[in-house]
Amino acid sequence: MIVKIDEKKCTGCGKCIAPCAEGAIKIINGKAKVVSEELCDGMGFCIGICPEGALSVEERYTVEFNREKAESQPKQKDTSIHCFICGASEDTSYLLPLRHNMQSMWVCTRCLPKLIHG
């Protein structure tokens, strides 16, 4: 499983960069690109946050995921990533991507139960 990026749909907004904890995605010439297939674990956290629907996961033959290489990548911070309910950042809370009211956003683990249970 590996992330596939539709360059025609990609606007280069960069919102997919920080959710990719492995560092597999970068913006190159104004478009998101998978820069190293061995860094992509196919989990797809980047998919739900793309406002253009340019990312998907496809099953195809590729190089094996390299955990050591992924863990050695510099971590990307995005100050726009915060809980849509309480405003917590990834520096203070665990954040999860989600779809709510037809929007892609982030929620912290403290606010998630309130969102689920009301």
Side-chain angles (χ1 to χ4, degrees), residues 83-101:
C83 176
F84 82 102
I85 296 172
C86 72
S89 72
E90 64 180 338
D91 292 331
T92 60
S93 299
Y94 289 107
L95 298 176
L96 304 168
L98 74 116
R99 294 277 301 166
H100 182 66
N101 292 333

Side-chain angles (χ1 to χ4, degrees), residues 17-18 74-81 89-92:
I17 304 294
K75 301 304 175 216
Q76 300 292 320
K77 293 257 181 173
D78 183 342
T79 57
S80 70
I81 295 176
S89 72
E90 64 180 338
D91 292 331
T92 60

Side-chain angles (χ1 to χ4, degrees), residues 16-92:
C16 57
I17 304 294
C20 180
E22 297 76 27
I25 302 174
K26 304 264 187 258
I27 301 296
I28 299 173
N29 296 326
K31 300 285 183 176
K33 305 257 194 253
V34 175
V35 293
S36 178
E37 291 186 354
E38 67 185 335
L39 293 177
C40 182
D41 62 3
M43 290 300 215
F45 289 118
C46 53
I47 294 169
I49 208 67
C50 178
E52 305 302 325
L55 283 76
S56 60
V57 174
E58 68 178 354
E59 187 172 351
R60 67 174 171 83
Y61 178 78
T62 185
V63 296
E64 189 173 331
F65 175 64
N66 184 331
R67 182 171 303 283
E68 280 184 25
K69 186 174 180 181
E71 288 174 353
S72 71
Q73 298 300 304
K75 301 304 175 216
Q76 300 292 320
K77 293 257 181 173
D78 183 342
T79 57
S80 70
I81 295 176
H82 59 276
C83 176
F84 82 102
I85 296 172
C86 72
S89 72
E90 64 180 338
D91 292 331
T92 60

